[in-house]
Structure formats: structure tokens, C-alpha cells
Amino acid sequence: MMLQGMESLLIASSLMIVGFLIFHKIRRRKLEKLAEHFPGPRTLPLFGNALMFLGKDMYGCFEIIRDVARNSNSGFRIWFGQDLHVYLTDPKDVENVMTNPNAIEKDHVYDYFRMVADGIFSSRGKRWWKNRKLVNPAFGTKQLEHYVATFNKHSNIFAERVRDHCGETINVLNLINAVTIDVLCESVLGIEIGAQSGKASKFVQSIGVCLDIVFKRIFNIHFHSDIVFKLSPESKIFNEHVKYLHSFTSQIISKAKAERQKMKERDRKNGELKAPPTNFMEKFLTIQEEGGELTDYDILHEVLTIIISGFDTSAMTASAVMLMLAIYPDIQEKARREAEEILSGNSASLEDINRLVYLEAVTKETLRLFGPPLFLRKIKGDVPLENCTLVEGCTTVVFVYDIHKNPKFWDSPEEFMPERFIGNSLKHRYCYLPFSSGPRNCPGQRFANVSMKLILANLLRHYKLSTHITDWSQIKMKLDVLQKPVDGYPLKIEPLR
């Protein structure tokens, strides 16, 4: 009887294994058929093209992808082991992907970011939909008007801090990190962390270390294995910095809870009605207090996601704009004249900031050249393109770098021309994607645009920017959340008067 049971179990197990292998073969055949529609480098059994990236840094990885793209007109493919990545460079195909419900999910490589901050940037399914709805209202026009006082305060502090570095050549990112994180935390989260006074330097450093290791995991296939990664020295460094980020953020939340409790007790004593939430933190805590579906885990990870995705991209963008203004003095002077004409004193309104049209064009043109290199989506069902159909199981990569420099959609794409964004319409609405698009676009893009413009305009009113770089094409880029110069953002800042 026992022998018969063992035989039945063995047969059932064998059938399951055979079934799995058949399913895998069918899935693989569909992916291979899809891959035939796209050019790409020669593959090796099991490894695909993954060995091309082995041992490369982020600059080397980016160079490989760009080399493959040069041999393609409208897309290409790269196999990372058994995973097929289809790179799209045609805005029509990109629109089909970005607007298709079968392409909403982020690829599994974003799980490496989730280990740092498991918020709306990388989360999936119902949890993403629920929390995204909570985030959207915080970046509307009414909220921006409420935030402007904070923008003014910290842009003025930044302008004063810059004075201490006049005459030096510095990597301006190290300086601007602090103002962007102070602006974000005080306005959107309602908390002061004092980054410009040096109180959050380790926090900022830990974010940078974690993001560097996340990108290293993405482009090194051996690090896709959790076991291999855990045995690496990078794993220990990563875990230490993640632990610190979570601890620091937990302290921020605990402080906010304590201050909120004091305020509620004061209002109760004075007989005042409970005021509606004015920032993210208050909103999150209110929902939790009223029995909503927000756990301490949710709050910690959404707060940390807002900080990382908001400040890091804003700081890199502002640094890149400053570098481009330094490379092109005539454009800098034009932006300065606009700032001096519109802004006066130490306080600007939202209307004033919106009138900085030329500076906004400079920022948009900078994002065309320095914006996100790519976006990844996991395909969960058929997604029709112009000449084929993406199938479930593949990863689609929107190769923004190539789209932003395609002469079909941009006149003189290799030239820095802010005027292209003044009074001209795009040749295709998906040929410019600095903040992604569709349901998973960046909810804080207006916030970033307004806060950055004021910081930059205030800087131009008081200082002249210069650099040893004479043309933007001399800058070597590497992969990051945005394209990032390998040698940083070298600037020399001098007072105008």
C-alpha cells in the first residue's frame, strides 16, 4: 500500500515537472518569435546577452545599450539570460505601451528598489492604485500655492550658502542636494530636517549609496540572484544604509505623530475644530487614525519613496540646468535678465514663477538631454505595436535616451536649443518623456518644476556660473535615475556684485 502511494506521488511529481517544462518551452517559443521582429546582438545559450554587461560600470553598461541602438531604426532586443527585453524607440509604439493596462506593472528589477522604499514608485496592483490616489491631490495648484512660502524660504537660504563657495570649482550636486530635500520635506511632508545646515548629510549619502547599488544589481545578471548578492560585499553595505534610511524615516514619522498629538490636545482645550490635512504626513496619519488601510509599513515606505524620488531627481535636474547655463553664457544671460525682470526682493508668488518662461524652456531642454535614460514595464498580456505584438512575460524598455535625440522628432537634436520649447508643439506627444507618461507618470512633476525654477532664478540674480566644459557633448553619461555625468557637475560660482 505504501509502495503504491510512493509510485503515485512519483508519477504526479514527474507530470508536474513535465508540465512545467512544456509551459516554459511554449512561453519561451512565444518570446523567441517576438524577438525575431527586432535586431540585437548575438546571444549565448542560457546567458543570452548578459555577459556583455559583466564587470561593466554604469557608464560601460550605458555605452553597450547605445551601441546596440545605433544599429536599429525603431527598436531592438537584448536577452538578459532567459528574460527578453524589447527596447522601443518609436513614440507610436511607446504610446501603445504606456496607455495599455497590460503594461502598467513595473519590471521585477524594481524589486531591488522596493528593498529601499516600497512605495508608489515600485509597488504593484491594488496597493499601488490605492496609494497613488492618496498622493495625486498633494501636487495640485492649491497645494503648490501653499508650498510657495517654503520654496522662497529655502531658495533664499541656498543663495546665501552659495556665497561660501564662491571662487571654488565644485560638484554643485553636493550643494544642491540639501536645498531640494529641505524644500520637499518641509512643504510636502510638513517636517524640517535641516539638510542645509548639515543635519541630514548621512541621510542624503545613504540614498546615493543605495541607488548606486540598485543600478549595479539591475545590470549585473549574477546579482539578480538574491543568494549571490547576499554573499557580495555590496550586500552588507546596502543593508547598512537601508537600515539607516528606515531608522531616520521612522524618527521623522514618530516626531510628526508626537507634534500632531500635541496640536490635537491644544485644539481640544481651545474648542477649535480639527483642521483638514495640509500635507502628505498629516493625510497619512489622519487616514490611519480613522481606521483606514494604511499601516506603519505603508507610511514609512511612502514617505521614504516621496523623499527619494522627489529630491534625487530634482537635485540632479537642477545641477544639470546649472551646468548647461555655465556651458552656454549667452543662454545664462538671457535667463538672468528674465529672472531680474520678474522677481524682486526675497519673495515670489506662484504667478511670478509661472512667468519664468525662458528658464522653464532651459529646464525642458536640459531634461531632453539629461532626462531618464529608460523606463521598464513587465508585459502581463498582449500589447499590440505597429508591426508586432508584445507577449506576456517580456519586458519592454522605453529607451527615452534615443527618443529624445531622434532627428525625426527634433530639429538639430544634438544642439542645446531652449527656444524649441517656446511656442512650438511636439511632433508626437510621446517623443518627450522626462516624467514618463500614462497612469504611472510622475505625480510631482509640477512641484519639481516650480520649486526648481525659483531656486535657479534666485541663484542667477546673484551669481555668475562658469565651467571648463565648452560643449555638452563632451560630458560622459552613466545610467542612473536620470542620465548622470560620470565626472559630476563641475561649476565655478562667482558673485555678480
Side-chain angles (χ1 to χ4, degrees):
M1 197 74 175
M2 180 181 287
L3 189 60
Q4 287 180 338
M6 292 280 288
E7 288 177 351
S8 298
L9 182 62
L10 184 62
I11 291 169
S13 300
S14 299
L15 288 173
M16 287 178 64
I17 293 170
V18 170
F20 173 79
L21 292 173
I22 292 171
F23 172 79
H24 179 74
K25 184 67 177 175
I26 293 171
R27 174 181 174 273
R28 171 76 184 191
R29 189 181 299 156
K30 284 184 176 181
L31 293 177
E32 288 174 347
K33 190 174 180 180
L34 171 62
E36 291 173 2
H37 290 274
F38 298 92
R42 293 181 64 181
T43 60
L44 293 172
L46 297 177
F47 297 103
N49 306 118
L51 296 183
M52 295 167 57
F53 298 91
L54 192 64
K56 302 290 185 183
D57 59 15
M58 290 299 96
Y59 172 73
C61 290
F62 198 22
E63 281 293 291
I64 290 171
I65 295 171
R66 289 168 64 185
D67 283 341
V68 177
R70 290 186 187 105
N71 298 316
S72 161
N73 292 322
S74 59
F76 54 96
R77 61 100 188 115
I78 293 177
W79 286 93
F80 278 90
Q82 301 300 299
D83 294 332
L84 174 62
H85 286 201
V86 175
Y87 285 70
L88 301 179
T89 57
D90 188 328
K92 294 177 185 176
D93 287 338
V94 171
E95 181 174 12
N96 289 338
V97 168
M98 292 291 204
T99 57
N100 194 300
N102 289 332
I104 287 179
E105 295 292 332
K106 295 278 184 95
D107 188 67
H108 71 90
V109 295
Y110 286 87
D111 290 345
Y112 309 143
F113 184 87
R114 290 175 68 193
M115 296 171 69
V116 184
D118 185 13
I120 61 168
F121 176 76
S122 55
S123 58
R124 305 187 183 108
K126 291 181 180 179
R127 184 166 172 267
W128 172 75
W129 279 107
K130 178 191 70 175
N131 291 353
R132 174 66 191 243
K133 288 177 183 177
L134 294 178
V135 167
N136 282 340
F139 294 113
T141 302
K142 280 190 178 180
Q143 288 301 107
L144 284 176
E145 289 173 347
H146 180 74
Y147 298 153
V148 166
T150 303
F151 297 166
N152 278 295
K153 170 185 169 182
H154 286 291
S155 68
N156 290 328
I157 293 173
F158 176 69
E160 284 300 314
R161 285 184 69 225
V162 166
R163 199 170 299 279
D164 295 335
H165 300 274
C166 283
E168 305 173 19
T169 296
I170 60 170
N171 178 5
V172 75
L173 180 63
N174 297 332
L175 196 59
I176 208 163
N177 269 335
V179 63
T180 53
I181 199 169
D182 270 347
V183 164
L184 182 73
C185 288
E186 192 167 330
S187 54
V188 178
L189 297 174
I191 52 178
E192 296 184 32
I193 65 170
Q196 292 203 83
S197 58
K199 295 178 182 177
S201 56
K202 187 177 177 181
F203 183 69
V204 174
Q205 179 194 16
S206 290
I207 290 173
V209 171
C210 288
L211 291 181
D212 283 345
I213 294 175
V214 164
F215 273 89
K216 190 170 184 179
R217 285 200 72 179
I218 290 173
F219 286 96
N220 285 271
I221 193 168
H222 60 290
F223 277 163
H224 287 201
S225 164
D226 288 337
I227 295 173
V228 173
F229 179 69
K230 284 176 182 176
L231 294 173
S232 70
E234 285 88 349
S235 176
K236 183 179 179 182
I237 296 168
F238 181 76
N239 290 332
E240 287 174 355
H241 284 280
V242 168
K243 184 178 179 181
Y244 177 78
L245 290 176
H246 289 181
S247 173
F248 188 93
T249 308
S250 294
Q251 290 174 27
I252 289 173
I253 296 169
S254 296
K255 184 179 177 182
K257 283 183 176 181
E259 290 177 355
R260 181 173 172 78
Q261 193 59 38
K262 287 179 185 177
M263 184 180 68
K264 285 168 67 177
E265 290 174 2
R266 186 179 65 246
D267 290 346
R268 203 164 32 241
K269 286 180 182 179
N270 298 333
E272 296 178 9
L273 295 173
K274 184 171 66 174
T278 59
N279 56 60
F280 268 128
M281 188 73 80
E282 288 183 4
K283 188 170 187 176
F284 288 156
L285 297 180
T286 298
I287 291 170
Q288 188 181 56
E289 290 166 0
E290 293 175 353
E293 297 180 3
L294 268 183
T295 63
D296 286 344
Y297 178 94
D298 286 330
I299 294 174
L300 186 149
H301 284 272
E302 291 300 345
V303 166
L304 189 50
T305 296
I306 289 166
I307 293 173
I308 295 174
S309 57
F311 113 82
D312 193 51
T313 53
S314 293
M316 282 196 281
T317 301
S319 298
V321 172
M322 292 167 67
L323 184 57
M324 296 303 269
L325 290 170
I327 294 172
Y328 302 102
D330 55 333
I331 294 174
Q332 179 182 165
E333 187 55 36
K334 193 171 180 180
R336 178 177 294 111
R337 286 198 302 267
E338 179 187 66
E340 289 175 339
E341 180 183 326
I342 293 172
L343 304 182
S344 61
N346 295 321
S347 182
S349 66
L350 182 58
E351 183 182 357
D352 292 331
I353 302 169
N354 288 335
R355 288 170 58 207
L356 295 166
V357 177
Y358 187 72
L359 185 55
E360 181 164 348
V362 173
T363 302
K364 286 182 175 179
E365 177 71 339
T366 301
L367 280 168
R368 185 180 70 84
L369 300 175
F370 286 74
L374 45 82
F375 300 115
L376 288 82
R377 295 284 186 274
K378 195 70 177 177
I379 302 303
K380 294 296 185 179
D382 287 354
V383 177
L385 303 181
E386 287 286 302
N387 299 313
C388 65
T389 298
L390 298 176
V391 296
E392 183 166 358
C394 79
T395 294
T396 184
V397 183
V398 178
F399 194 38
V400 181
Y401 171 87
D402 201 66
I403 296 170
H404 279 188
K405 296 176 181 65
N406 192 328
K408 292 180 184 177
F409 308 104
W410 305 97
D411 298 327
S412 304
E414 296 299 327
E415 292 185 31
F416 186 69
M417 297 166 49
E419 287 76 12
R420 73 172 85 240
F421 285 102
I422 299 177
N424 298 317
S425 57
L426 297 173
K427 294 183 179 180
H428 191 286
R429 63 178 183 152
Y430 279 78
C431 71
Y432 185 63
L433 299 162
F435 299 100
S436 187
S437 191
R440 293 206 79 137
N441 70 342
C442 173
Q445 54 187 281
R446 268 200 80 199
F447 172 91
N449 181 43
V450 172
S451 59
M452 277 192 302
K453 277 203 296 182
L454 184 56
I455 291 168
L456 292 166
N458 260 343
L459 186 76
L460 289 173
R461 290 169 60 210
H462 298 97
Y463 301 98
K464 177 184 176 182
L465 312 176
S466 60
T467 181
H468 69 274
I469 301 169
T470 57
D471 190 88
W472 83 269
S473 61
Q474 298 169 5
I475 301 170
K476 291 170 63 176
M477 300 285 196
K478 65 179 180 178
L479 287 165
D480 207 292
V481 179
L482 304 182
Q483 294 169 62
K484 193 173 183 180
V486 172
D487 300 317
Y489 307 85
L491 283 182
K492 187 175 182 180
I493 303 175
E494 298 171 293
L496 287 174
R497 290 171 279 275

